[in-house]
Amino acid sequence: MAITYAIQDPKGIIEIQNFDIGGLPENITVKEINIVESLTSPVVQVMAVLQSAIYDPPGKNFDQFKNKDMTFTLQRKGGASLKCNLKTYRLENRSMVQNNMTAVEEMTFHAIDETVLKDATCLVSKSWKCTKPSEVVSNVLRKCLEAEDTVVDSADPARDYIAENIHPFQVIAQQANVALDGDDPSFLHFMTLNEQTGKGVHHFQSLKKYFPFKSNSILRFQLP
């Protein structure tokens, strides 16, 4: 069952439309959603705080939501929308809380882009000869992580490089340490949400090119 909520904010109304994790029971409600994008992390994180009646339905098992897609749309009244479509991978902080006059279970579901899960299970052992950092990064994103949505800026200098049985994100981090945009060394690997598909977008870009901030997803919904 998909759930829709309206959240009042000083600039209007934001609706959480069609929230779902692989078929939610009717007694589940959404208390809070947090979406975190950071230039210091290659991961977009979504945390959804849900509440459920304690004994209804009997024998409920939240393991059924493991590896299911967490999907929803944030819609500002008369404004822009932002989709989310990420993999649910962790449940934490499950406890009983008092909600008005009734005790309910409260828990937090975490969701991330599927490429982050692939990074944890993949190791790279490969050598490149006289290859630009941006070409190494593109190769790792495409072939190792099967990333569909990427923004990789051209970076110098071309150099020999050997990845010695390390995770793809570590390869990209090492390339960011040596990549240059002209004389600018500020290359970073970070992720944003594609507001149309709800999937993660991998960025390998210098701050000189990325700023002023180009993403129009999260900032459009930032409350004062």
mmCIF file with all atom_site columns, all heavy atoms in Angstrom, residues 151-178:
data_model
loop_
_atom_site.group_PDB
_atom_site.id
_atom_site.type_symbol
_atom_site.label_atom_id
_atom_site.label_alt_id
_atom_site.label_comp_id
_atom_site.label_asym_id
_atom_site.label_entity_id
_atom_site.label_seq_id
_atom_site.pdbx_PDB_ins_code
_atom_site.Cartn_x
_atom_site.Cartn_y
_atom_site.Cartn_z
_atom_site.occupancy
_atom_site.B_iso_or_equiv
_atom_site.pdbx_formal_charge
_atom_site.auth_seq_id
_atom_site.auth_comp_id
_atom_site.auth_asym_id
_atom_site.auth_atom_id
_atom_site.pdbx_PDB_model_num
ATOM 1   N N   . VAL A 1 151 ? 28.405 11.750 -13.978 1.00 0.00 ? 151 VAL A N   1
ATOM 2   C CA  . VAL A 1 151 ? 28.941 13.006 -14.506 1.00 0.00 ? 151 VAL A CA  1
ATOM 3   C C   . VAL A 1 151 ? 30.432 12.996 -14.184 1.00 0.00 ? 151 VAL A C   1
ATOM 4   O O   . VAL A 1 151 ? 30.830 13.192 -13.036 1.00 0.00 ? 151 VAL A O   1
ATOM 5   C CB  . VAL A 1 151 ? 28.267 14.238 -13.875 1.00 0.00 ? 151 VAL A CB  1
ATOM 6   C CG1 . VAL A 1 151 ? 28.847 15.521 -14.486 1.00 0.00 ? 151 VAL A CG1 1
ATOM 7   C CG2 . VAL A 1 151 ? 26.760 14.192 -14.062 1.00 0.00 ? 151 VAL A CG2 1
ATOM 8   N N   . VAL A 1 152 ? 31.260 12.741 -15.206 1.00 0.00 ? 152 VAL A N   1
ATOM 9   C CA  . VAL A 1 152 ? 32.705 12.636 -15.015 1.00 0.00 ? 152 VAL A CA  1
ATOM 10  C C   . VAL A 1 152 ? 33.387 13.695 -15.879 1.00 0.00 ? 152 VAL A C   1
ATOM 11  O O   . VAL A 1 152 ? 33.336 13.628 -17.115 1.00 0.00 ? 152 VAL A O   1
ATOM 12  C CB  . VAL A 1 152 ? 33.224 11.226 -15.383 1.00 0.00 ? 152 VAL A CB  1
ATOM 13  C CG1 . VAL A 1 152 ? 34.740 11.161 -15.209 1.00 0.00 ? 152 VAL A CG1 1
ATOM 14  C CG2 . VAL A 1 152 ? 32.538 10.162 -14.528 1.00 0.00 ? 152 VAL A CG2 1
ATOM 15  N N   . ASP A 1 153 ? 34.006 14.675 -15.228 1.00 0.00 ? 153 ASP A N   1
ATOM 16  C CA  . ASP A 1 153 ? 34.730 15.715 -15.958 1.00 0.00 ? 153 ASP A CA  1
ATOM 17  C C   . ASP A 1 153 ? 36.125 15.229 -16.333 1.00 0.00 ? 153 ASP A C   1
ATOM 18  O O   . ASP A 1 153 ? 36.744 14.447 -15.596 1.00 0.00 ? 153 ASP A O   1
ATOM 19  C CB  . ASP A 1 153 ? 34.856 16.977 -15.099 1.00 0.00 ? 153 ASP A CB  1
ATOM 20  C CG  . ASP A 1 153 ? 33.538 17.722 -14.972 1.00 0.00 ? 153 ASP A CG  1
ATOM 21  O OD1 . ASP A 1 153 ? 32.614 17.419 -15.747 1.00 0.00 ? 153 ASP A OD1 1
ATOM 22  O OD2 . ASP A 1 153 ? 33.434 18.592 -14.091 1.00 0.00 ? 153 ASP A OD2 1
ATOM 23  N N   . SER A 1 154 ? 36.617 15.697 -17.460 1.00 0.00 ? 154 SER A N   1
ATOM 24  C CA  . SER A 1 154 ? 37.958 15.327 -17.904 1.00 0.00 ? 154 SER A CA  1
ATOM 25  C C   . SER A 1 154 ? 38.997 15.812 -16.897 1.00 0.00 ? 154 SER A C   1
ATOM 26  O O   . SER A 1 154 ? 38.925 16.947 -16.400 1.00 0.00 ? 154 SER A O   1
ATOM 27  C CB  . SER A 1 154 ? 38.243 15.935 -19.274 1.00 0.00 ? 154 SER A CB  1
ATOM 28  O OG  . SER A 1 154 ? 39.544 15.608 -19.707 1.00 0.00 ? 154 SER A OG  1
ATOM 29  N N   . ALA A 1 155 ? 39.951 14.938 -16.564 1.00 0.00 ? 155 ALA A N   1
ATOM 30  C CA  . ALA A 1 155 ? 40.965 15.272 -15.571 1.00 0.00 ? 155 ALA A CA  1
ATOM 31  C C   . ALA A 1 155 ? 42.335 14.803 -16.048 1.00 0.00 ? 155 ALA A C   1
ATOM 32  O O   . ALA A 1 155 ? 42.478 13.734 -16.630 1.00 0.00 ? 155 ALA A O   1
ATOM 33  C CB  . ALA A 1 155 ? 40.626 14.623 -14.222 1.00 0.00 ? 155 ALA A CB  1
ATOM 34  N N   . ASP A 1 156 ? 43.337 15.605 -15.799 1.00 0.00 ? 156 ASP A N   1
ATOM 35  C CA  . ASP A 1 156 ? 44.731 15.273 -16.085 1.00 0.00 ? 156 ASP A CA  1
ATOM 36  C C   . ASP A 1 156 ? 45.444 15.010 -14.750 1.00 0.00 ? 156 ASP A C   1
ATOM 37  O O   . ASP A 1 156 ? 44.894 15.290 -13.684 1.00 0.00 ? 156 ASP A O   1
ATOM 38  C CB  . ASP A 1 156 ? 45.404 16.444 -16.826 1.00 0.00 ? 156 ASP A CB  1
ATOM 39  C CG  . ASP A 1 156 ? 44.826 16.623 -18.236 1.00 0.00 ? 156 ASP A CG  1
ATOM 40  O OD1 . ASP A 1 156 ? 44.698 15.610 -18.942 1.00 0.00 ? 156 ASP A OD1 1
ATOM 41  O OD2 . ASP A 1 156 ? 44.499 17.769 -18.599 1.00 0.00 ? 156 ASP A OD2 1
ATOM 42  N N   . PRO A 1 157 ? 46.665 14.508 -14.733 1.00 0.00 ? 157 PRO A N   1
ATOM 43  C CA  . PRO A 1 157 ? 47.470 14.091 -15.891 1.00 0.00 ? 157 PRO A CA  1
ATOM 44  C C   . PRO A 1 157 ? 47.312 12.603 -16.165 1.00 0.00 ? 157 PRO A C   1
ATOM 45  O O   . PRO A 1 157 ? 46.894 11.841 -15.288 1.00 0.00 ? 157 PRO A O   1
ATOM 46  C CB  . PRO A 1 157 ? 48.885 14.402 -15.411 1.00 0.00 ? 157 PRO A CB  1
ATOM 47  C CG  . PRO A 1 157 ? 48.837 14.111 -13.934 1.00 0.00 ? 157 PRO A CG  1
ATOM 48  C CD  . PRO A 1 157 ? 47.455 14.536 -13.484 1.00 0.00 ? 157 PRO A CD  1
ATOM 49  N N   . ALA A 1 158 ? 47.660 12.183 -17.378 1.00 0.00 ? 158 ALA A N   1
ATOM 50  C CA  . ALA A 1 158 ? 47.696 10.758 -17.688 1.00 0.00 ? 158 ALA A CA  1
ATOM 51  C C   . ALA A 1 158 ? 48.887 10.132 -16.955 1.00 0.00 ? 158 ALA A C   1
ATOM 52  O O   . ALA A 1 158 ? 49.980 10.706 -16.929 1.00 0.00 ? 158 ALA A O   1
ATOM 53  C CB  . ALA A 1 158 ? 47.837 10.553 -19.193 1.00 0.00 ? 158 ALA A CB  1
ATOM 54  N N   . ARG A 1 159 ? 48.673 8.968  -16.372 1.00 0.00 ? 159 ARG A N   1
ATOM 55  C CA  . ARG A 1 159 ? 49.729 8.327  -15.584 1.00 0.00 ? 159 ARG A CA  1
ATOM 56  C C   . ARG A 1 159 ? 49.474 6.831  -15.499 1.00 0.00 ? 159 ARG A C   1
ATOM 57  O O   . ARG A 1 159 ? 48.363 6.364  -15.771 1.00 0.00 ? 159 ARG A O   1
ATOM 58  C CB  . ARG A 1 159 ? 49.791 8.930  -14.171 1.00 0.00 ? 159 ARG A CB  1
ATOM 59  C CG  . ARG A 1 159 ? 48.486 8.805  -13.418 1.00 0.00 ? 159 ARG A CG  1
ATOM 60  C CD  . ARG A 1 159 ? 48.403 9.730  -12.206 1.00 0.00 ? 159 ARG A CD  1
ATOM 61  N NE  . ARG A 1 159 ? 49.240 9.295  -11.116 1.00 0.00 ? 159 ARG A NE  1
ATOM 62  C CZ  . ARG A 1 159 ? 48.851 8.454  -10.160 1.00 0.00 ? 159 ARG A CZ  1
ATOM 63  N NH1 . ARG A 1 159 ? 47.624 7.954  -10.180 1.00 0.00 ? 159 ARG A NH1 1
ATOM 64  N NH2 . ARG A 1 159 ? 49.662 8.124  -9.191  1.00 0.00 ? 159 ARG A NH2 1
ATOM 65  N N   . ASP A 1 160 ? 50.488 6.089  -15.115 1.00 0.00 ? 160 ASP A N   1
ATOM 66  C CA  . ASP A 1 160 ? 50.321 4.655  -14.863 1.00 0.00 ? 160 ASP A CA  1
ATOM 67  C C   . ASP A 1 160 ? 49.674 4.481  -13.494 1.00 0.00 ? 160 ASP A C   1
ATOM 68  O O   . ASP A 1 160 ? 49.956 5.227  -12.549 1.00 0.00 ? 160 ASP A O   1
ATOM 69  C CB  . ASP A 1 160 ? 51.674 3.943  -14.879 1.00 0.00 ? 160 ASP A CB  1
ATOM 70  C CG  . ASP A 1 160 ? 52.332 3.970  -16.255 1.00 0.00 ? 160 ASP A CG  1
ATOM 71  O OD1 . ASP A 1 160 ? 51.631 4.305  -17.225 1.00 0.00 ? 160 ASP A OD1 1
ATOM 72  O OD2 . ASP A 1 160 ? 53.531 3.663  -16.338 1.00 0.00 ? 160 ASP A OD2 1
ATOM 73  N N   . TYR A 1 161 ? 48.791 3.492  -13.406 1.00 0.00 ? 161 TYR A N   1
ATOM 74  C CA  . TYR A 1 161 ? 48.097 3.272  -12.135 1.00 0.00 ? 161 TYR A CA  1
ATOM 75  C C   . TYR A 1 161 ? 47.765 1.788  -11.988 1.00 0.00 ? 161 TYR A C   1
ATOM 76  O O   . TYR A 1 161 ? 47.374 1.129  -12.956 1.00 0.00 ? 161 TYR A O   1
ATOM 77  C CB  . TYR A 1 161 ? 46.804 4.100  -12.079 1.00 0.00 ? 161 TYR A CB  1
ATOM 78  C CG  . TYR A 1 161 ? 45.931 3.779  -10.885 1.00 0.00 ? 161 TYR A CG  1
ATOM 79  C CD1 . TYR A 1 161 ? 46.320 4.124  -9.600  1.00 0.00 ? 161 TYR A CD1 1
ATOM 80  C CD2 . TYR A 1 161 ? 44.713 3.113  -11.055 1.00 0.00 ? 161 TYR A CD2 1
ATOM 81  C CE1 . TYR A 1 161 ? 45.516 3.816  -8.503  1.00 0.00 ? 161 TYR A CE1 1
ATOM 82  C CE2 . TYR A 1 161 ? 43.904 2.810  -9.973  1.00 0.00 ? 161 TYR A CE2 1
ATOM 83  C CZ  . TYR A 1 161 ? 44.321 3.165  -8.701  1.00 0.00 ? 161 TYR A CZ  1
ATOM 84  O OH  . TYR A 1 161 ? 43.540 2.859  -7.618  1.00 0.00 ? 161 TYR A OH  1
ATOM 85  N N   . ILE A 1 162 ? 47.946 1.272  -10.784 1.00 0.00 ? 162 ILE A N   1
ATOM 86  C CA  . ILE A 1 162 ? 47.601 -0.113 -10.470 1.00 0.00 ? 162 ILE A CA  1
ATOM 87  C C   . ILE A 1 162 ? 46.660 -0.134 -9.273  1.00 0.00 ? 162 ILE A C   1
ATOM 88  O O   . ILE A 1 162 ? 46.976 0.419  -8.210  1.00 0.00 ? 162 ILE A O   1
ATOM 89  C CB  . ILE A 1 162 ? 48.853 -0.949 -10.150 1.00 0.00 ? 162 ILE A CB  1
ATOM 90  C CG1 . ILE A 1 162 ? 49.825 -0.961 -11.332 1.00 0.00 ? 162 ILE A CG1 1
ATOM 91  C CG2 . ILE A 1 162 ? 48.455 -2.383 -9.789  1.00 0.00 ? 162 ILE A CG2 1
ATOM 92  C CD1 . ILE A 1 162 ? 51.133 -1.675 -11.043 1.00 0.00 ? 162 ILE A CD1 1
ATOM 93  N N   . ALA A 1 163 ? 45.490 -0.751 -9.442  1.00 0.00 ? 163 ALA A N   1
ATOM 94  C CA  . ALA A 1 163 ? 44.557 -0.976 -8.325  1.00 0.00 ? 163 ALA A CA  1
ATOM 95  C C   . ALA A 1 163 ? 44.827 -2.375 -7.785  1.00 0.00 ? 163 ALA A C   1
ATOM 96  O O   . ALA A 1 163 ? 44.677 -3.363 -8.510  1.00 0.00 ? 163 ALA A O   1
ATOM 97  C CB  . ALA A 1 163 ? 43.113 -0.850 -8.809  1.00 0.00 ? 163 ALA A CB  1
ATOM 98  N N   . GLU A 1 164 ? 45.222 -2.440 -6.551  1.00 0.00 ? 164 GLU A N   1
ATOM 99  C CA  . GLU A 1 164 ? 45.644 -3.711 -5.960  1.00 0.00 ? 164 GLU A CA  1
ATOM 100 C C   . GLU A 1 164 ? 44.556 -4.277 -5.041  1.00 0.00 ? 164 GLU A C   1
ATOM 101 O O   . GLU A 1 164 ? 44.601 -4.124 -3.832  1.00 0.00 ? 164 GLU A O   1
ATOM 102 C CB  . GLU A 1 164 ? 46.959 -3.532 -5.203  1.00 0.00 ? 164 GLU A CB  1
ATOM 103 C CG  . GLU A 1 164 ? 48.106 -3.074 -6.098  1.00 0.00 ? 164 GLU A CG  1
ATOM 104 C CD  . GLU A 1 164 ? 49.396 -2.890 -5.332  1.00 0.00 ? 164 GLU A CD  1
ATOM 105 O OE1 . GLU A 1 164 ? 49.338 -2.689 -4.101  1.00 0.00 ? 164 GLU A OE1 1
ATOM 106 O OE2 . GLU A 1 164 ? 50.466 -2.947 -5.960  1.00 0.00 ? 164 GLU A OE2 1
ATOM 107 N N   . ASN A 1 165 ? 43.562 -4.898 -5.641  1.00 0.00 ? 165 ASN A N   1
ATOM 108 C CA  . ASN A 1 165 ? 42.518 -5.607 -4.898  1.00 0.00 ? 165 ASN A CA  1
ATOM 109 C C   . ASN A 1 165 ? 41.818 -4.696 -3.891  1.00 0.00 ? 165 ASN A C   1
ATOM 110 O O   . ASN A 1 165 ? 41.724 -5.004 -2.698  1.00 0.00 ? 165 ASN A O   1
ATOM 111 C CB  . ASN A 1 165 ? 43.112 -6.827 -4.167  1.00 0.00 ? 165 ASN A CB  1
ATOM 112 C CG  . ASN A 1 165 ? 42.072 -7.928 -3.977  1.00 0.00 ? 165 ASN A CG  1
ATOM 113 O OD1 . ASN A 1 165 ? 41.237 -8.166 -4.843  1.00 0.00 ? 165 ASN A OD1 1
ATOM 114 N ND2 . ASN A 1 165 ? 42.124 -8.600 -2.836  1.00 0.00 ? 165 ASN A ND2 1
ATOM 115 N N   . ILE A 1 166 ? 41.320 -3.569 -4.371  1.00 0.00 ? 166 ILE A N   1
ATOM 116 C CA  . ILE A 1 166 ? 40.616 -2.613 -3.517  1.00 0.00 ? 166 ILE A CA  1
ATOM 117 C C   . ILE A 1 166 ? 39.223 -2.348 -4.087  1.00 0.00 ? 166 ILE A C   1
ATOM 118 O O   . ILE A 1 166 ? 38.924 -2.667 -5.238  1.00 0.00 ? 166 ILE A O   1
ATOM 119 C CB  . ILE A 1 166 ? 41.393 -1.283 -3.380  1.00 0.00 ? 166 ILE A CB  1
ATOM 120 C CG1 . ILE A 1 166 ? 41.620 -0.645 -4.759  1.00 0.00 ? 166 ILE A CG1 1
ATOM 121 C CG2 . ILE A 1 166 ? 42.721 -1.519 -2.661  1.00 0.00 ? 166 ILE A CG2 1
ATOM 122 C CD1 . ILE A 1 166 ? 42.329 0.700  -4.696  1.00 0.00 ? 166 ILE A CD1 1
ATOM 123 N N   . HIS A 1 167 ? 38.369 -1.767 -3.269  1.00 0.00 ? 167 HIS A N   1
ATOM 124 C CA  . HIS A 1 167 ? 36.990 -1.498 -3.680  1.00 0.00 ? 167 HIS A CA  1
ATOM 125 C C   . HIS A 1 167 ? 36.949 -0.357 -4.708  1.00 0.00 ? 167 HIS A C   1
ATOM 126 O O   . HIS A 1 167 ? 37.827 0.528  -4.708  1.00 0.00 ? 167 HIS A O   1
ATOM 127 C CB  . HIS A 1 167 ? 36.135 -1.137 -2.470  1.00 0.00 ? 167 HIS A CB  1
ATOM 128 C CG  . HIS A 1 167 ? 35.945 -2.271 -1.519  1.00 0.00 ? 167 HIS A CG  1
ATOM 129 N ND1 . HIS A 1 167 ? 35.086 -3.326 -1.774  1.00 0.00 ? 167 HIS A ND1 1
ATOM 130 C CD2 . HIS A 1 167 ? 36.507 -2.519 -0.297  1.00 0.00 ? 167 HIS A CD2 1
ATOM 131 C CE1 . HIS A 1 167 ? 35.114 -4.170 -0.757  1.00 0.00 ? 167 HIS A CE1 1
ATOM 132 N NE2 . HIS A 1 167 ? 35.973 -3.715 0.156   1.00 0.00 ? 167 HIS A NE2 1
ATOM 133 N N   . PRO A 1 168 ? 35.935 -0.359 -5.592  1.00 0.00 ? 168 PRO A N   1
ATOM 134 C CA  . PRO A 1 168 ? 35.822 0.688  -6.615  1.00 0.00 ? 168 PRO A CA  1
ATOM 135 C C   . PRO A 1 168 ? 35.837 2.105  -6.062  1.00 0.00 ? 168 PRO A C   1
ATOM 136 O O   . PRO A 1 168 ? 36.487 2.992  -6.637  1.00 0.00 ? 168 PRO A O   1
ATOM 137 C CB  . PRO A 1 168 ? 34.475 0.370  -7.290  1.00 0.00 ? 168 PRO A CB  1
ATOM 138 C CG  . PRO A 1 168 ? 34.320 -1.110 -7.120  1.00 0.00 ? 168 PRO A CG  1
ATOM 139 C CD  . PRO A 1 168 ? 34.914 -1.416 -5.781  1.00 0.00 ? 168 PRO A CD  1
ATOM 140 N N   . PHE A 1 169 ? 35.134 2.341  -4.945  1.00 0.00 ? 169 PHE A N   1
ATOM 141 C CA  . PHE A 1 169 ? 35.137 3.686  -4.373  1.00 0.00 ? 169 PHE A CA  1
ATOM 142 C C   . PHE A 1 169 ? 36.539 4.103  -3.934  1.00 0.00 ? 169 PHE A C   1
ATOM 143 O O   . PHE A 1 169 ? 36.887 5.291  -3.985  1.00 0.00 ? 169 PHE A O   1
ATOM 144 C CB  . PHE A 1 169 ? 34.191 3.760  -3.172  1.00 0.00 ? 169 PHE A CB  1
ATOM 145 C CG  . PHE A 1 169 ? 32.728 3.926  -3.551  1.00 0.00 ? 169 PHE A CG  1
ATOM 146 C CD1 . PHE A 1 169 ? 32.304 3.779  -4.859  1.00 0.00 ? 169 PHE A CD1 1
ATOM 147 C CD2 . PHE A 1 169 ? 31.781 4.223  -2.591  1.00 0.00 ? 169 PHE A CD2 1
ATOM 148 C CE1 . PHE A 1 169 ? 30.974 3.914  -5.216  1.00 0.00 ? 169 PHE A CE1 1
ATOM 149 C CE2 . PHE A 1 169 ? 30.438 4.366  -2.930  1.00 0.00 ? 169 PHE A CE2 1
ATOM 150 C CZ  . PHE A 1 169 ? 30.039 4.217  -4.242  1.00 0.00 ? 169 PHE A CZ  1
ATOM 151 N N   . GLN A 1 170 ? 37.368 3.137  -3.498  1.00 0.00 ? 170 GLN A N   1
ATOM 152 C CA  . GLN A 1 170 ? 38.746 3.450  -3.130  1.00 0.00 ? 170 GLN A CA  1
ATOM 153 C C   . GLN A 1 170 ? 39.565 3.823  -4.357  1.00 0.00 ? 170 GLN A C   1
ATOM 154 O O   . GLN A 1 170 ? 40.412 4.725  -4.298  1.00 0.00 ? 170 GLN A O   1
ATOM 155 C CB  . GLN A 1 170 ? 39.378 2.259  -2.409  1.00 0.00 ? 170 GLN A CB  1
ATOM 156 C CG  . GLN A 1 170 ? 38.791 1.977  -1.036  1.00 0.00 ? 170 GLN A CG  1
ATOM 157 C CD  . GLN A 1 170 ? 39.373 0.719  -0.405  1.00 0.00 ? 170 GLN A CD  1
ATOM 158 O OE1 . GLN A 1 170 ? 39.092 -0.390 -0.841  1.00 0.00 ? 170 GLN A OE1 1
ATOM 159 N NE2 . GLN A 1 170 ? 40.194 0.894  0.609   1.00 0.00 ? 170 GLN A NE2 1
ATOM 160 N N   . VAL A 1 171 ? 39.318 3.141  -5.466  1.00 0.00 ? 171 VAL A N   1
ATOM 161 C CA  . VAL A 1 171 ? 39.980 3.500  -6.728  1.00 0.00 ? 171 VAL A CA  1
ATOM 162 C C   . VAL A 1 171 ? 39.654 4.944  -7.097  1.00 0.00 ? 171 VAL A C   1
ATOM 163 O O   . VAL A 1 171 ? 40.540 5.743  -7.431  1.00 0.00 ? 171 VAL A O   1
ATOM 164 C CB  . VAL A 1 171 ? 39.549 2.553  -7.865  1.00 0.00 ? 171 VAL A CB  1
ATOM 165 C CG1 . VAL A 1 171 ? 40.125 3.031  -9.197  1.00 0.00 ? 171 VAL A CG1 1
ATOM 166 C CG2 . VAL A 1 171 ? 39.995 1.124  -7.579  1.00 0.00 ? 171 VAL A CG2 1
ATOM 167 N N   . ILE A 1 172 ? 38.374 5.282  -7.016  1.00 0.00 ? 172 ILE A N   1
ATOM 168 C CA  . ILE A 1 172 ? 37.946 6.637  -7.397  1.00 0.00 ? 172 ILE A CA  1
ATOM 169 C C   . ILE A 1 172 ? 38.536 7.674  -6.451  1.00 0.00 ? 172 ILE A C   1
ATOM 170 O O   . ILE A 1 172 ? 38.958 8.762  -6.875  1.00 0.00 ? 172 ILE A O   1
ATOM 171 C CB  . ILE A 1 172 ? 36.411 6.716  -7.416  1.00 0.00 ? 172 ILE A CB  1
ATOM 172 C CG1 . ILE A 1 172 ? 35.839 5.745  -8.453  1.00 0.00 ? 172 ILE A CG1 1
ATOM 173 C CG2 . ILE A 1 172 ? 35.947 8.138  -7.720  1.00 0.00 ? 172 ILE A CG2 1
ATOM 174 C CD1 . ILE A 1 172 ? 34.332 5.615  -8.422  1.00 0.00 ? 172 ILE A CD1 1
ATOM 175 N N   . ALA A 1 173 ? 38.600 7.352  -5.151  1.00 0.00 ? 173 ALA A N   1
ATOM 176 C CA  . ALA A 1 173 ? 39.186 8.278  -4.179  1.00 0.00 ? 173 ALA A CA  1
ATOM 177 C C   . ALA A 1 173 ? 40.660 8.521  -4.472  1.00 0.00 ? 173 ALA A C   1
ATOM 178 O O   . ALA A 1 173 ? 41.153 9.656  -4.376  1.00 0.00 ? 173 ALA A O   1
ATOM 179 C CB  . ALA A 1 173 ? 39.006 7.732  -2.768  1.00 0.00 ? 173 ALA A CB  1
ATOM 180 N N   . GLN A 1 174 ? 41.387 7.482  -4.857  1.00 0.00 ? 174 GLN A N   1
ATOM 181 C CA  . GLN A 1 174 ? 42.799 7.646  -5.196  1.00 0.00 ? 174 GLN A CA  1
ATOM 182 C C   . GLN A 1 174 ? 42.971 8.499  -6.445  1.00 0.00 ? 174 GLN A C   1
ATOM 183 O O   . GLN A 1 174 ? 43.906 9.304  -6.536  1.00 0.00 ? 174 GLN A O   1
ATOM 184 C CB  . GLN A 1 174 ? 43.449 6.275  -5.388  1.00 0.00 ? 174 GLN A CB  1
ATOM 185 C CG  . GLN A 1 174 ? 43.596 5.482  -4.090  1.00 0.00 ? 174 GLN A CG  1
ATOM 186 C CD  . GLN A 1 174 ? 44.258 4.129  -4.288  1.00 0.00 ? 174 GLN A CD  1
ATOM 187 O OE1 . GLN A 1 174 ? 44.562 3.722  -5.414  1.00 0.00 ? 174 GLN A OE1 1
ATOM 188 N NE2 . GLN A 1 174 ? 44.478 3.417  -3.192  1.00 0.00 ? 174 GLN A NE2 1
ATOM 189 N N   . GLN A 1 175 ? 42.074 8.340  -7.412  1.00 0.00 ? 175 GLN A N   1
ATOM 190 C CA  . GLN A 1 175 ? 42.136 9.167  -8.618  1.00 0.00 ? 175 GLN A CA  1
ATOM 191 C C   . GLN A 1 175 ? 41.802 10.626 -8.299  1.00 0.00 ? 175 GLN A C   1
ATOM 192 O O   . GLN A 1 175 ? 42.385 11.547 -8.895  1.00 0.00 ? 175 GLN A O   1
ATOM 193 C CB  . GLN A 1 175 ? 41.190 8.621  -9.685  1.00 0.00 ? 175 GLN A CB  1
ATOM 194 C CG  . GLN A 1 175 ? 41.566 7.245  -10.204 1.00 0.00 ? 175 GLN A CG  1
ATOM 195 C CD  . GLN A 1 175 ? 42.992 7.180  -10.698 1.00 0.00 ? 175 GLN A CD  1
ATOM 196 O OE1 . GLN A 1 175 ? 43.408 7.920  -11.583 1.00 0.00 ? 175 GLN A OE1 1
ATOM 197 N NE2 . GLN A 1 175 ? 43.774 6.293  -10.084 1.00 0.00 ? 175 GLN A NE2 1
ATOM 198 N N   . ALA A 1 176 ? 40.882 10.851 -7.384  1.00 0.00 ? 176 ALA A N   1
ATOM 199 C CA  . ALA A 1 176 ? 40.535 12.220 -6.990  1.00 0.00 ? 176 ALA A CA  1
ATOM 200 C C   . ALA A 1 176 ? 41.726 12.926 -6.337  1.00 0.00 ? 176 ALA A C   1
ATOM 201 O O   . ALA A 1 176 ? 41.884 14.149 -6.467  1.00 0.00 ? 176 ALA A O   1
ATOM 202 C CB  . ALA A 1 176 ? 39.343 12.209 -6.033  1.00 0.00 ? 176 ALA A CB  1
ATOM 203 N N   . ASN A 1 177 ? 42.577 12.166 -5.666  1.00 0.00 ? 177 ASN A N   1
ATOM 204 C CA  . ASN A 1 177 ? 43.743 12.751 -4.992  1.00 0.00 ? 177 ASN A CA  1
ATOM 205 C C   . ASN A 1 177 ? 44.787 13.274 -5.967  1.00 0.00 ? 177 ASN A C   1
ATOM 206 O O   . ASN A 1 177 ? 45.593 14.147 -5.612  1.00 0.00 ? 177 ASN A O   1
ATOM 207 C CB  . ASN A 1 177 ? 44.393 11.716 -4.061  1.00 0.00 ? 177 ASN A CB  1
ATOM 208 C CG  . ASN A 1 177 ? 43.570 11.475 -2.810  1.00 0.00 ? 177 ASN A CG  1
ATOM 209 O OD1 . ASN A 1 177 ? 42.782 12.323 -2.398  1.00 0.00 ? 177 ASN A OD1 1
ATOM 210 N ND2 . ASN A 1 177 ? 43.759 10.317 -2.203  1.00 0.00 ? 177 ASN A ND2 1
ATOM 211 N N   . VAL A 1 178 ? 44.806 12.748 -7.196  1.00 0.00 ? 178 VAL A N   1
ATOM 212 C CA  . VAL A 1 178 ? 45.839 13.154 -8.162  1.00 0.00 ? 178 VAL A CA  1
ATOM 213 C C   . VAL A 1 178 ? 45.261 13.904 -9.356  1.00 0.00 ? 178 VAL A C   1
ATOM 214 O O   . VAL A 1 178 ? 46.014 14.416 -10.186 1.00 0.00 ? 178 VAL A O   1
ATOM 215 C CB  . VAL A 1 178 ? 46.641 11.923 -8.659  1.00 0.00 ? 178 VAL A CB  1
ATOM 216 C CG1 . VAL A 1 178 ? 47.337 11.239 -7.497  1.00 0.00 ? 178 VAL A CG1 1
ATOM 217 C CG2 . VAL A 1 178 ? 45.732 10.937 -9.400  1.00 0.00 ? 178 VAL A CG2 1
#
